[in-house]
Amino acid sequence: MLVSAAPQLSDLEVVDAWYGILEVTTDLFETASWRGALEALAAELNDKTLLEWEAIGQLLEPYDLAGAREEVLSNYKV
């Protein structure tokens, strides 16, 4: 998908982009909000194996995912 989204990138630039994506993802899941949301979602899926969109929204509502995302992304140049 990355290659399709940015066909002008060289192979090395695609690899660098992937490393950047993985770094941001790691930073997100190191925040209490994202980690808590992931743990809550995993526990619920372990019990039910299938969740409707509304149930997922209610489950994740207590976590400030947008705030954590903004905080993490503020550490990167855009």
Side-chain angles (χ1 to χ4, degrees), residues 31-68:
T31 67
S33 293
W34 281 67
R35 190 174 50 253
L38 178 63
E39 290 171 0
L41 185 58
E44 191 72 12
L45 284 171
N46 191 44
D47 289 341
K48 295 187 179 175
T49 66
L50 178 65
L51 295 174
E52 299 291 332
W53 182 248
E54 294 79 22
I56 294 170
Q58 289 175 348
L59 186 66
L60 301 182
E61 190 174 344
Y63 301 96
D64 182 17
L65 301 179

Side-chain angles (χ1 to χ4, degrees), residues 2-19:
L2 184 59
V3 172
S4 295
Q8 75 282 5
L9 296 180
S10 69
D11 289 349
L12 183 57
E13 290 170 322
V14 170
V15 170
D16 286 342
W18 271 116
Y19 277 120

